[in-house]
Amino acid sequence: MRRQSLTRWLFWPGLLLIALSASAQSPELPAGIIKHDPYPAPPLALRDLDGEPYALKNQRGAPVFVHFWASWCGPCREEMPAIQRMWDTLEEEGLKIALVNTAEDEDTVFSFLAAHAPTIRPLMDRDGQVTEGWEPRGLPATYLVDAQGQVQYQAIGGRPWDEPAYLDFLRSLIKAP
Amino acid sequence: MLLCCPALTPMVLMILRMNSLPAAGRSGILLLLLLWPLSAMTEEPAYESAELEVNLTPRTPQQIAAFYEGRGFSEPMIAILREQCFITVFIHNKSDDIIWLDLADWEFADSDGPLRRRDRADWKARWQKRDIPLAHQSTFRWTLLPEKLDFLPGERKGGNITLPRHNQPFTLHARFDTGEARDGDPIEITLEELQCADNP
């Protein structure tokens, strides 16, 4: 009898501890975010709009928000202002961003971003081949790459990145070891 | 209207003979009858159930030319695109399960028989033969509906499909497998009286 009540006494706190540790390891996913079995991020080495070289492999040590877009894509246009607001909030907290334009020219990208995301420096995938290498489901496409260069999550379509659920989720990635 | 909609002719004649109705009432009913086929013709072909929504919007050659000219495509490319029948397809998985788009399971046919859709591989070969810049090939590819995609619960996506341009109405019969292993009950849809869109 005494052994039974001791087992009960240990069981529930134990279960609670397990649940808490599980939730600490895998943050609750906001709508439209899918978890991958981690895999190494495909190559991403491009020049930005000013001609400066950029390589994703040099960004190790912080999570990177990798986003592929084009100005002709309706959902991309809708999503971009939310990305800018998210970036305004999380840049200083340690998130990095790679905003990759797919196969458009400088004038198009410059005039679009001036109106929708003026402080994000875009990367130019001029012939679209880097985008192809990531095999997105469509445009827009967002991948979340961890500090070790592994793709951990993918967003399905455009997402309201500036909403609290998404900001909290991205913060959990920044804080992840 | 009597020429374009022979099925309505007896109804129109009957209304014209309805002396019991005031003239204003008769003309009102006639106006509704006139507008009805117009609205029916402009309605976009669509399928909607609790699980799946599919919309098809035929595009005119002018719309297609304007879109791709705006992306800097060359005139020879635009000339080829004007000759196609473009249909923008929108798909929304409203279910809690995976729904598979596989364009190999889509059959277009008119009264003369099956219509052959031009797929991504066809377009790639065509553009490569003409040394079209990779950037334009890429943009064009991203505007096409994927050949195959597992639509996740809640996912929505659109893109174009291309058929040979022709004047006859045609039918689409499409099958969507369901379930992660494609072993759920398939969803079969049929959309009739599709038309390529002409310039106004």
Side-chain angles (χ1 to χ4, degrees):
Chain A
M1 186 68 124
R2 183 183 283 175
R3 180 180 285 178
Q4 229 177 16
S5 63
L6 184 67
T7 312
R8 249 184 235 162
W9 189 82
L10 287 172
F11 176 77
W12 292 110
L15 196 67
L16 183 67
L17 274 174
I18 290 167
L20 282 174
S21 103
S23 71
Q25 283 167 7
S26 51
E28 193 177 328
L29 297 184
I33 305 292
I34 53 173
K35 174 87 176 86
H36 283 297
D37 289 333
Y39 62 91
L44 200 170
L46 293 166
R47 289 186 181 274
D48 68 16
L49 196 57
D50 299 327
E52 296 295 322
Y54 171 96
L56 182 64
K57 67 179 181 187
N58 297 338
Q59 310 300 313
R60 300 277 162 83
V64 186
F65 182 99
V66 179
H67 182 76
F68 296 92
W69 66 283
S71 68
W72 52 262
C73 139
C76 303
R77 288 198 299 270
E78 280 177 33
E79 185 184 28
M80 194 60 78
I83 292 177
Q84 173 69 71
R85 289 190 291 272
M86 175 277 288
W87 182 238
D88 291 342
T89 306
L90 295 185
E91 180 184 10
E92 289 188 356
E93 295 183 31
L95 185 70
K96 294 188 176 181
I97 193 166
L99 195 75
V100 181
N101 175 267
T102 300
E104 293 188 290
D105 60 35
E106 286 90 346
D107 289 347
T108 306
V109 172
F110 181 79
S111 55
F112 176 82
L113 287 183
H116 296 95
T119 71
I120 306 179
R121 212 169 47 155
L123 302 172
M124 303 294 292
D125 182 15
R126 292 168 198 281
D127 58 12
Q129 299 308 294
V130 167
T131 308
E132 289 291 326
W134 283 68
E135 299 180 356
R137 302 170 67 82
L139 296 179
T142 302
Y143 298 86
L144 298 165
V145 178
D146 69 14
Q148 289 75 44
Q150 301 282 308
V151 176
Q152 292 276 2
Y153 300 95
Q154 184 177 358
I156 301 303
R159 294 288 134 199
W161 293 106
D162 56 337
E163 287 187 358
Y166 292 87
L167 292 174
D168 289 347
F169 168 66
L170 292 170
R171 281 193 181 103
S172 73
L173 303 184
I174 297 169
K175 287 173 190 159
Chain B
M1 186 184 76
L2 297 183
L3 285 175
C4 79
C5 309
L8 292 179
T9 307
M11 210 184 305
V12 171
L13 293 175
M14 190 180 75
I15 291 163
L16 288 173
R17 286 177 196 142
M18 285 170 79
N19 292 329
S20 57
L21 271 178
R26 267 181 287 170
S27 47
I29 293 171
L30 280 173
L31 186 66
L32 279 177
L33 276 173
L34 270 167
L35 292 176
W36 173 78
L38 191 66
S39 65
M41 281 190 293
T42 53
E43 198 171 291
E44 286 170 358
Y47 166 88
E48 184 156 14
S49 68
E51 293 83 29
L52 178 67
E53 180 184 355
V54 181
N55 288 303
L56 274 68
T57 307
R59 302 293 184 189
T60 68
Q62 276 179 3
Q63 286 174 322
I64 290 301
F67 177 83
Y68 290 109
E69 278 167 5
R71 315 275 85 75
F73 283 29
S74 63
E75 187 43 49
M77 247 182 129
I78 300 288
I80 291 169
L81 298 177
R82 279 181 194 276
E83 292 167 5
Q84 315 300 318
C85 176
F86 271 83
I87 299 176
T88 302
V89 181
F90 169 81
I91 298 172
H92 179 195
N93 177 3
K94 297 160 63 182
S95 77
D96 297 326
D97 203 352
I98 290 174
I99 294 182
W100 290 85
L101 163 71
D102 189 343
L103 290 181
D105 295 333
W106 287 35
E107 292 165 7
F108 292 92
D110 65 12
S111 55
D112 293 334
L115 298 169
R116 188 176 169 276
R117 183 181 57 84
R118 196 178 285 281
D119 64 18
R120 284 178 177 232
D122 287 338
W123 282 112
K124 186 176 181 182
R126 198 165 204 186
W127 298 143
Q128 283 179 344
K129 196 174 159 190
R130 288 167 174 77
D131 281 333
I132 298 299
L134 285 176
H136 292 163
Q137 292 189 40
S138 174
T139 296
F140 183 76
R141 201 162 47 245
W142 285 114
T143 61
L144 295 177
L145 193 66
E147 291 289 321
K148 192 181 283 192
L149 189 69
D150 54 335
F151 272 72
L152 301 175
E155 188 168 11
R156 54 185 84 204
K157 211 168 283 302
N160 292 323
I161 52 171
T162 57
L163 296 165
R165 174 160 281 283
H166 64 295
N167 295 323
Q168 281 193 59
F170 56 96
T171 299
L172 163 65
H173 181 75
R175 195 187 80 236
F176 296 84
D177 289 340
T178 64
E180 193 168 352
R182 301 182 71 151
D183 54 358
D185 291 336
I187 300 170
E188 305 219 12
I189 72 172
T190 300
L191 296 174
E192 293 175 332
E193 296 295 312
L194 300 169
Q195 286 271 12
C196 301
D198 288 320
N199 289 333

